[in-house]
Amino acid sequence: MTPAERDRFEKCLALAARGATAGERDAARAAAERIATGAGLTLAEAAAGVRDPRPSRAGTEQPRRPPPDPRRPFAWAQPKEPVKPITIEELLRQKAGTEAWKKRAAASAERRLKRERAEQEAYEVQQRARQAERDREWAAAKARRNVP
């Protein structure tokens, strides 16, 4: 048993002996049995090993398992790269880029407005021509009605 397992096992045994309720004592005993089984021992053997940490027989001790491989840390647990301060040249380059973008956007909006104005003017010319035709027809009809 590792020192951490031994410590947890001792705490479970103490709780199994002095627990406040029967359910608490039963749960502690079950946890102690799971720890002992994980170490390849029975509850009695593990309890004897805790009381007398020296092995009674040299051949009865289980061979130690190698420690598990350390886990690869999560991406968010990796140390961050140090922040590089921004330079004046970089700020000027960013500002120039922003101004160029604004100029392109303004030019595009101006071209769109010109196109819309031209379409509107063409529509107005067409509507004026239709209205003029209706006015001529109205005037001709009025002239025919007024002729005696």
Side-chain angles (χ1 to χ4, degrees):
M1 247 190 270
T2 65
E5 289 173 339
R6 181 180 305 272
D7 185 48
R8 184 164 177 241
F9 181 75
E10 288 174 358
K11 289 176 182 177
C12 287
L13 283 181
L15 189 59
R18 296 184 299 272
T21 64
E24 190 176 65
R25 289 188 295 270
D26 291 340
R29 181 176 303 284
E33 286 177 5
R34 283 193 305 271
I35 295 169
T37 304
L41 303 170
T42 64
L43 183 61
E45 291 173 342
V50 169
R51 292 185 193 106
D52 183 21
R54 293 171 288 157
S56 56
R57 287 180 260 156
T60 60
E61 189 173 333
Q62 294 276 339
R64 289 192 172 252
R65 286 181 269 166
D69 293 333
R71 290 186 177 196
R72 209 172 117 222
F74 294 105
W76 51 264
Q78 296 294 327
K80 293 182 180 178
E81 291 187 23
V83 177
K84 297 177 184 173
I86 192 164
T87 62
I88 293 176
E89 291 81 18
E90 178 64 18
L91 284 174
L92 293 174
R93 187 191 64 75
Q94 288 177 1
K95 185 176 181 181
T98 302
E99 289 175 359
W101 174 79
K102 286 180 180 178
K103 285 181 183 178
R104 286 192 306 273
S108 174
E110 186 63 31
R111 285 191 302 272
R112 183 179 43 80
L113 281 175
K114 283 183 181 178
R115 221 177 13 256
E116 288 175 0
R117 285 182 192 139
E119 290 172 1
Q120 182 67 29
E121 288 175 8
Y123 176 76
E124 289 172 358
V125 167
Q126 184 183 22
Q127 291 302 316
R128 278 193 219 106
R130 286 182 183 168
Q131 185 63 44
E133 180 64 30
R134 285 192 298 269
D135 289 348
R136 281 190 293 277
E137 289 173 1
W138 177 81
K142 185 175 181 180
R144 280 190 302 264
R145 273 184 272 144
N146 289 340
V147 174

